[in-house]
Amino acid sequence: MFQKGLKDVIAVHTKIASVDGEKGELRYRGVSIGDLIATHSFEEVAYFMWTGVLPGESELCILNEKLIAGRELPLHVVKIIDALPADMPLMDAMRTAISAYGHSAFKDEIIEDQALVLTAALPVIIARHYRNQHGQSIVEANPTLSHTANYLWMLTGVIPNDVQVEALETYLKLTMEHGLNASTFAARVTISTESDLASAITSAIGTMKGPLHGGAPSGVIDLLEEMETLGNIRPVIEAKMKRGERIMGFGHRIYKTEDPRSVLLRDKCISMSGEDDWLDLATAAEKEIISLLEEYKPGRKLYTNVEYYAAAIMRSIEMPPGLFTPTFSAARIVGWTAHAIEQLSDNTIFRPQSVFVGEMVVLDERFHVER
């Protein structure tokens, strides 16, 4: 059977996540994503993804200690980051720095600990290159801060407030895993050759870099900025509809109903109502846009996707668009590493077949083509 792009071809049996596009349901290891993120931190959910169990008090303490230690980059990785051109895109810098991790950097650590180290290191790598790009002094990691809060601290040099941390952490937990997407598949293919984990994550980052997969939701930011105020929502959207333009942040290739991640991000935005004008604009605009989509495109079932509220949250915490995909990757690395661990637990190298569809030719004695 030939299926272009392997669309809908089952290549993996997994216990990590399930995505039901018809029901609009996302589960991490069988647990509804809403139930999981409501009561557990990024660190706890990451541990759950790697091990299949939630950490107890002692396990969480050890996990936090290891994550804090993992924020200290190996000296050779620091030198590599600081030697990169300031105009090198962040995704390229991340790929280069992660590739510098390997057996020498990990020593004899088991793969679960390697996953933890890479997860701790990626936000530090992002922040270091980002500040180098902007000619700013490096902000060292703060061991008193959580994983999410420390990321914001290292980016800005300012201790983030609770609202900012809660908003970003909700996003990070919701996007750390989403089935066998392109970057996750790339990680599994690489690790299936019994290559090392750093190589698998390097493959994943290179895949995430592509605009068809990890493209930043800057279009949503542009849309919100164009509307600017509540009174402009309907005129702006109606004008776009009449011109046949796509409304950014609506529609998803998998979900045929509401994206559960967008629902949870919306709930978070509503809970912060009145604290940020951008979040208030986004929640009001969604209702108006859904109504207009039903009016102009009846039967299309176009619902809000995760990019819509992700963009609103990123804008509310003043994160520039250039950091969107790197931040997405800092969350998704948990899923990448969890899939790599699972792949090695019952490994078979990926080796799909191809069908030759070119012409058969022969060469004459002068090596010229005869057709």
Side-chain angles (χ1 to χ4, degrees), residues 234-278:
R234 189 174 188 89
V236 168
I237 299 304
E238 280 194 319
K240 288 183 177 293
M241 293 283 198
K242 291 174 181 176
R243 292 193 298 266
E245 294 181 20
R246 180 188 171 195
I247 307 302
M248 303 303 292
F250 291 80
H252 194 281
R253 67 181 298 271
I254 294 177
Y255 292 110
K256 307 309 177 186
T257 181
E258 287 191 298
D259 183 333
R261 300 168 299 173
S262 70
V263 172
L264 293 165
L265 284 175
R266 178 204 302 145
D267 291 344
K268 180 57 62 179
C269 290
I270 292 173
S271 73
M272 295 186 289
S273 178
E275 298 187 39
D276 185 275
D277 291 341
W278 279 96

Side-chain angles (χ1 to χ4, degrees), residues 12-30:
V12 165
H13 286 174
T14 182
K15 295 180 180 179
I16 296 172
S18 59
V19 183
D20 191 321
E22 297 297 328
K23 294 180 180 178
E25 185 177 83
L26 173 61
R27 291 177 176 270
Y28 288 178
R29 291 193 177 273

Side-chain angles (χ1 to χ4, degrees), residues 17-293:
S18 59
V19 183
D20 191 321
E22 297 297 328
K23 294 180 180 178
E25 185 177 83
L26 173 61
R27 291 177 176 270
Y28 288 178
R29 291 193 177 273
V31 180
S32 170
I33 184 63
D35 295 339
L36 190 60
I37 73 163
T39 53
H40 297 286
S41 66
F42 175 92
E43 291 85 346
E44 290 172 309
V45 178
Y47 185 93
F48 181 63
M49 297 303 288
W50 292 324
T51 67
V53 296
L54 286 163
E57 187 175 338
S58 59
E59 289 87 358
L60 185 58
C61 182
I62 294 170
L63 172 66
N64 284 327
E65 289 176 355
K66 289 182 176 180
L67 284 170
I68 290 169
R71 295 173 189 169
E72 184 173 345
L73 305 180
L75 182 59
H76 73 277
V77 175
V78 171
K79 290 180 177 179
I80 288 171
I81 297 170
D82 291 346
L84 296 175
D87 62 353
M88 176 179 281
L90 269 165
M91 294 299 291
D92 291 345
M94 291 158 53
R95 182 192 60 211
T96 301
I98 288 295
S99 71
Y101 279 82
H103 294 300
S104 60
F106 288 132
K107 300 175 182 174
D108 296 322
E109 292 176 356
I110 61 173
I111 192 170
E112 289 82 1
D113 283 345
Q114 293 178 18
L116 189 154
V117 168
L118 292 178
T119 299
L122 191 54
V124 181
I125 292 167
I126 295 168
R128 190 175 190 96
H129 186 65
Y130 176 76
R131 292 187 71 86
N132 282 342
Q133 283 181 319
H134 293 83
Q136 300 170 328
S137 60
I138 300 303
V139 177
E140 298 298 334
N142 186 330
T144 68
L145 296 177
S146 69
H147 182 81
T148 304
N150 182 70
Y151 179 42
L152 289 172
W153 155 251
M154 295 190 74
L155 285 171
T156 66
V158 177
I159 298 293
N161 61 47
D162 292 343
V163 172
Q164 292 173 317
V165 174
E166 187 177 354
L168 181 58
E169 180 143 322
T170 300
Y171 169 76
L172 294 178
K173 289 185 288 187
L174 285 171
T175 54
M176 64 169 56
E177 164 61 12
H178 203 246
L180 199 62
N181 51 80
S183 55
T184 299
F185 184 52
R188 291 194 76 133
V189 170
T190 300
I191 205 73
S192 79
T193 68
E194 296 188 357
S195 185
D196 57 284
L197 186 62
S199 295
I201 303 309
T202 300
S203 295
I205 292 172
T207 307
M208 178 67 85
K209 177 189 173 184
L212 292 184
H213 181 30
S218 55
V220 179
I221 294 289
D222 294 339
L223 177 65
L224 293 173
E225 289 181 343
E226 187 176 350
M227 291 186 292
E228 191 176 11
T229 65
L230 297 177
N232 289 336
I233 295 172
R234 189 174 188 89
V236 168
I237 299 304
E238 280 194 319
K240 288 183 177 293
M241 293 283 198
K242 291 174 181 176
R243 292 193 298 266
E245 294 181 20
R246 180 188 171 195
I247 307 302
M248 303 303 292
F250 291 80
H252 194 281
R253 67 181 298 271
I254 294 177
Y255 292 110
K256 307 309 177 186
T257 181
E258 287 191 298
D259 183 333
R261 300 168 299 173
S262 70
V263 172
L264 293 165
L265 284 175
R266 178 204 302 145
D267 291 344
K268 180 57 62 179
C269 290
I270 292 173
S271 73
M272 295 186 289
S273 178
E275 298 187 39
D276 185 275
D277 291 341
W278 279 96
L279 298 184
D280 293 344
L281 176 64
T283 53
E286 182 196 22
K287 295 178 183 178
E288 192 71 52
I289 293 170
I290 291 292
S291 175
L292 287 168
L293 283 170

